[in-house]
Amino acid sequence: MAGSAGAAELELQGRRLVVSGTLDGSKVKAFTEHLSSGTVRTVVFEDSFGGTAEAAGAYADAIRESGVQTEVRGHCMAACAYAFLAGKAHRFGHGLQVNGILVPVATRPTAAELAVRWRGEEARKTLADFTPPSSTAAAATTTDAARPIEATAPPAKDNWQPDHGVLFTASPTLFGRVYNTYYCDGTQGRDFSKCERLSDADPYKLGVLTE
């Protein structure tokens, strides 16, 4: 899913590392070094509108290995969502902004799938669904007698459908934050008001938010 905020930017604010922009892999090395230093306690994703599956996996691995918490301020879409879910604890930031996280899915999830899909190992499996096969695997060959037989390459996976997924939002009101969950099939573009609202899909119950 292509981002609209440019390449990823990193800003260290005390023990919080703020990540904004597209997770395109350009800052993976610097991000990993920040986390391995042991000084970062929380990674804050701020208005990150996508990226690549490979970058999402790299960010998620670094977050998981360092044991930091994650937070969303504004919007966190697609690649950002999987990196966010790798945090030891993951939450929406405080403030007057609307926070939203869109997790890409291939098809509309059932109620049973929603209940487990983004917890622990299940989140990693879901990410793998959007990772294309490696070029090594695609070009693998086997030998039958003296005749090499080229293996059938698996079909390329349909990565990061723009604005297609399950959207969790939190909107500030006079009486506290209101949480809603939607299924967006991608045809609505960025007009998320056209997405289908899902009932009984509280982000805390589903493990998308933990605190």
Side-chain angles (χ1 to χ4, degrees), residues 10 12 17 19 28-43 58-70:
L10 308 179
L12 189 62
L17 179 61
V19 182
V28 167
K29 185 173 184 293
F31 180 80
T32 303
E33 290 173 349
H34 274 301
L35 266 58
S36 62
S37 70
T39 59
V40 176
R41 179 176 295 170
T42 304
V43 171
Y59 274 79
D61 286 345
I63 289 169
R64 194 175 293 109
E65 289 169 10
S66 62
V68 297
Q69 304 173 76
T70 52

Side-chain angles (χ1 to χ4, degrees), residues 94-152:
H94 301 296
L96 299 178
Q97 76 281 351
V98 174
N99 295 320
I101 174 172
L102 184 139
V103 188
V105 294
T107 57
R108 186 185 189 282
T110 64
E113 288 174 329
L114 274 174
V116 299
R117 188 155 193 165
W118 299 299
R119 294 178 185 272
E121 286 300 313
E122 288 300 316
R124 296 174 103 175
K125 291 177 185 176
T126 303
L127 174 61
D129 289 343
F130 292 88
T131 307
S134 68
S135 56
T136 302
T141 59
T142 58
T143 301
D144 181 7
R147 183 171 65 89
I149 301 174
E150 187 169 341
T152 302

Side-chain angles (χ1 to χ4, degrees), residues 187-209:
T187 62
Q188 78 291 326
R190 286 284 167 84
D191 185 359
F192 296 117
S193 66
K194 296 180 179 178
C195 297
E196 173 193 358
R197 188 172 182 278
L198 300 179
S199 60
D200 196 25
D202 182 277
Y204 287 98
K205 291 181 180 178
L206 301 181
V208 174
L209 300 178

